[in-house]
Amino acid sequence: MTRLNRILCHAFAAGLLATALPSQAEDITTRAVLEQYSTIVYASYSDSVASARDMQKSIDAFLTAPSQAGLEDARKTWLAAREFYLPTEVYRFYSGPIDDAQGPEPRINAWPIDEGYIDFVKGKTKSGFVNNPKIAITKEKLKSLNERGGEENISTGWHAIEFLLWGQDQNANGPGDRQFTDFVDGKAPNADRRRQYLKIVTELLIEDLESVTQQWQASGNNFRKQFVAGDKASLKKALTGLGVLTRGELAGERMEVAMDTQNQEDEHSCFADNTHRDIIGDVIGMQNVWEGRYTGRDGKTLEGASLKALVAQKNPTIAETISTDIANTLKLSKEIQAPFDQEIIGKKEAPGRKRVQAVIDSLKKQGKNLVIAAESLGIKRLSTKAP
């Protein structure tokens, strides 16, 4: 066989092999993407529950023997638990188990809060149901009080716990500074009711998170089973969660509103001054979903069929563009300086406002490209507006 013939034979064989074995990207199916999405959702919620339980242990220890050190430890575990909850927000906005008609989302992360609805505030030492002995502090009562009479009348969830741990933020350069003595009998009025409330509201948060997590378990006749079998309808749901969090919720409700009002009350975690981390956590969640990858509390990474790979089969340019968009949004988010309530103050050219606006602009671009990506998969009119 001549050298030329050998080359032609090898080339022919290679061509047959390429035909017989499609590339990994060509193998990606909608069902595989939905399976991986569901696996990530379950792992993410499971980590959120586990970190919330760590917080509960610290809070219970503090309530048993209130001290400054105990209060600081409870605050640290609240901040740590938020890091695992925030990336789950990308699983919202499509009537899933967290925010369908019966979903617990309004009890989990509702904001902004009228803190005077819960407890005393500056100038109103007797405000709030904590200081009203006629109101029983039970799980059912707290559920019924949540958003009663107005969306800011929040009685449950992350931000109610945040307020109990930090109190009002009266410091321009730092978070709230509630005293541990607010939980000590004889040192503050209704300290016993305050302790009872903090304990019960924490238990309720964990129960609500657990109820959502169970709907994403791999076995059972639950939401996950329906979701994985949902084909393009479920694909639209996953993209809707990503799109709405990108544009309507994070860029709009959480950042543009605060920029417009320059009001501390319009920032997400105003008592702990944790809003800058809230933004980062949400963007990490977006990246997890788009890339089909999640690194858990145990340090292990789950990686598989992704929305990006599915889109890349139809439009590789837009798939790569969105990955770049999200990476840029994450980079810019990390440049926002704490406290967020000081970043949003001032004129247009103020350094802090420019940093926040850069994230908003990046999110807007990202949202537009997600609509294009959805269209490449045959999904028309993807909504990115907040509900």
Side-chain angles (χ1 to χ4, degrees):
M1 182 181 292
T2 66
R3 183 172 182 273
L4 177 60
N5 284 338
R6 284 198 300 271
I7 292 172
L8 290 173
C9 284
H10 285 310
F12 180 71
L16 286 177
L17 185 61
T19 302
L21 299 174
S23 69
Q24 185 180 4
E26 292 171 334
D27 281 338
I28 297 296
T29 65
T30 296
R31 187 177 182 93
V33 172
L34 297 177
E35 287 277 11
Q36 177 66 6
Y37 177 93
S38 299
T39 297
I40 288 175
V41 175
Y42 178 68
S44 187
Y45 274 127
S46 295
D47 281 347
S48 182
V49 170
S51 60
R53 285 196 173 281
D54 289 344
M55 176 184 70
Q56 183 183 39
K57 290 177 183 177
S58 292
I59 287 175
D60 283 348
F62 166 66
L63 295 177
T64 299
S67 68
Q68 186 62 35
L71 180 56
E72 290 174 0
D73 186 61
R75 290 171 176 170
K76 287 178 183 176
T77 54
W78 185 93
L79 293 170
R82 284 292 282 178
E83 294 291 311
F84 288 98
Y85 173 75
L86 289 160
T88 71
E89 293 208 279
V90 74
Y91 317 135
R92 291 180 50 200
F93 311 114
Y94 53 76
S95 294
I98 190 169
D99 57 3
D100 62 11
Q102 289 78 41
E105 202 284 329
R107 293 198 302 268
I108 291 174
N109 198 45
W111 71 284
I113 282 182
D114 176 4
E115 55 266 47
Y117 182 67
I118 296 174
D119 200 0
F120 73 88
V121 292
K122 187 177 181 180
K124 297 181 179 180
T125 59
K126 296 182 180 180
S127 67
F129 55 78
V130 166
N131 297 300
N132 185 351
K134 294 180 180 180
I135 297 177
I137 298 179
T138 65
K139 289 176 185 175
E140 291 307 313
K141 188 63 177 178
L142 293 183
K143 288 180 183 180
S144 71
L145 288 172
N146 199 54
E147 296 186 340
R148 178 186 288 182
E151 290 184 352
E152 295 185 4
N153 290 344
I154 306 302
S155 60
T156 66
W158 288 106
H159 299 295
I161 296 170
E162 178 193 6
F163 172 56
L164 262 288
L165 293 177
W166 274 273
Q168 283 182 296
D169 180 7
Q170 306 289 341
N171 180 5
N173 298 312
D177 187 27
R178 181 187 289 277
Q179 300 299 299
F180 80 89
T181 50
D182 286 349
F183 297 88
V184 178
D185 293 333
K187 297 290 186 180
N190 297 304
D192 57 334
R193 288 176 58 82
R194 197 166 291 110
R195 292 195 304 273
Q196 183 182 16
Y197 172 54
L198 181 52
K199 183 177 180 62
I200 291 177
V201 75
T202 304
E203 291 174 355
L204 184 57
L205 172 65
I206 291 172
E207 289 177 9
D208 284 335
L209 288 173
E210 286 178 331
S211 72
V212 176
T213 306
Q214 289 165 3
Q215 289 298 313
W216 287 100
Q217 288 178 337
S219 60
N221 187 24
N222 55 9
F223 180 84
R224 176 172 175 162
K225 182 178 181 180
Q226 300 167 19
F227 181 85
V228 170
D231 198 53
K232 188 178 287 188
S234 293
L235 198 61
K236 184 176 182 180
K237 289 178 180 179
L239 284 164
T240 297
L242 180 54
V244 173
L245 181 61
T246 292
R247 178 61 187 96
E249 185 70 14
L250 185 55
E253 295 290 329
R254 301 189 185 186
M255 299 183 75
E256 286 180 316
V257 170
M259 285 281 276
D260 287 344
T261 65
Q262 300 192 31
N263 189 338
Q264 180 194 54
E265 293 296 316
D266 288 320
E267 68 161 321
H268 199 189
S269 295
C270 65
F271 311 116
D273 273 344
N274 195 55
T275 303
H276 62 300
R277 293 301 308 177
D278 291 346
I279 296 168
I280 292 169
D282 279 343
V283 180
I284 289 173
M286 298 171 193
Q287 193 170 57
N288 291 344
V289 164
W290 180 250
E291 303 286 346
R293 184 173 59 248
Y294 175 73
T295 300
R297 271 170 45 111
D298 59 5
K300 296 179 181 178
T301 298
L302 300 171
E303 190 165 10
S306 65
L307 288 170
K308 176 184 178 180
L310 194 66
V311 171
Q313 293 175 159
K314 302 292 186 180
N315 189 335
T317 300
I318 199 66
E320 195 57 46
T321 297
I322 292 172
S323 283
T324 301
D325 287 344
I326 296 175
N328 186 53
T329 301
L330 184 57
K331 174 182 174 293
L332 293 171
S333 297
K334 291 178 179 178
E335 293 174 5
I336 294 176
Q337 297 179 13
F340 180 84
D341 55 31
Q342 298 304 300
E343 288 283 86
I344 59 177
I345 293 176
K347 296 182 179 180
K348 182 178 179 179
E349 295 304 313
R353 287 183 66 83
K354 289 173 70 174
R355 285 188 288 267
V356 175
Q357 188 62 51
V359 177
I360 294 171
D361 292 343
S362 184
L363 286 165
K364 285 181 177 179
K365 179 176 180 293
Q366 182 177 308
K368 289 178 181 178
N369 284 330
L370 284 168
V371 173
I372 297 171
E375 288 174 350
S376 74
L377 298 175
I379 297 170
K380 299 180 179 179
R381 295 184 296 276
L382 180 74
S383 175
T384 61
K385 295 181 180 180

